[in-house]
Each structure stands twice: as structure tokens, then as C-alpha cells.
Amino acid sequence: MQRDVLISIGSNHLAPAHMEQVKDLLTEVFGDNILFSSVIQTQAVGIDSPDFLNCVAAFTTPLDYTHVRNHLKHMETVCGNTPAKRKHNQVEMDIDILSFDGQHYHQKDWDRDYIQGLVKELEGHEVQDSTCSFNSINNHRNKRDK
């Protein structure tokens, strides 16, 4: 069974290199059926730090939530993330699951205008070799807008 996954990706340290690195890692683990939004620069939210580079990505996978999350956390570590760096607001890589198989996570992220804009970029596109139609994204927006 294929599951639809939507993630947010961000970095505020050596960000251009880390964004390229994580795109390669994501493709290596989840295959070529991944769709990336554009990468944009945003101000840090909730921490005093340099600006972030952010994007979102969508893909399908047969893996369960725990396995996907573990892969993503490993990718953060490969990019150089450590608790000590995070303590000093240095984010080498942050990857959050926004939606997994229709279940939404990280509501505060969904409420950010830049996330909504990046997600909107992906609407109407299909992930290669899948039937991912982003219905769960549209359903989330409809619930939020009521």
C-alpha cells in the first residue's frame, strides 16, 4: 500500500548546500517519485537566528510512519544536526512530516503563510508513478478555512 507523505524542509546554516544534500538523500531513500516545491528564504520563527531556506516535498512510499520518520531524522543527522547546535539556534537541517497517509501533523507549520504558499505550488501536480492527488492537503485547507 502506497502512502502519501508531505514534508517541510528547512535550514539556517550552510543552507544552500544542506538543501541540495537533503534533496539527494530523499531521492536516494524514497526514489524519483518525489516532488519538491521551490526553495524560499524566510525569517526565523520563534528563535533568534539567521534566515532559513525552506521548501516542501511530497512523495509516496510503502513505508509506515515510524520508518519514514526515522529516515528523515537520520537525514538531519547526516546533514550535521546535533542537539548542541540546536541549543545555539543553528539548524543544519530540519525535516518535519506535515501529512502522512491523510493524517496531519505540526499544525503551527500548516498555519504559516509560507508553508501554505509552498504547498499550493504542489497542488495539481502528481507525484511520478503514483496516484497522489493531494486530496489530504485540500481537505486540511477546507477544514482550516471553515
Side-chain angles (χ1 to χ4, degrees), residues 30 63-72:
F30 298 109
L63 299 175
D64 64 21
Y65 177 89
T66 301
H67 283 96
V68 171
R69 186 177 184 283
N70 289 344
H71 278 299
L72 299 177

Side-chain angles (χ1 to χ4, degrees), residues 38 43-44 61 81-82 117 130 132 144:
S38 59
Q43 291 184 336
T61 181
N81 249 20
T82 66
S130 79
C132 179
R144 186 196 57 165

Side-chain angles (χ1 to χ4, degrees), residues 11 23 27 51 79 82 86 111-112 123-124 126:
S11 175
K23 285 180 178 183
T27 301
D51 287 352
C79 288
T82 66
R86 285 282 185 120
D111 292 340
R112 294 185 177 133
E123 288 178 353
E126 288 193 5

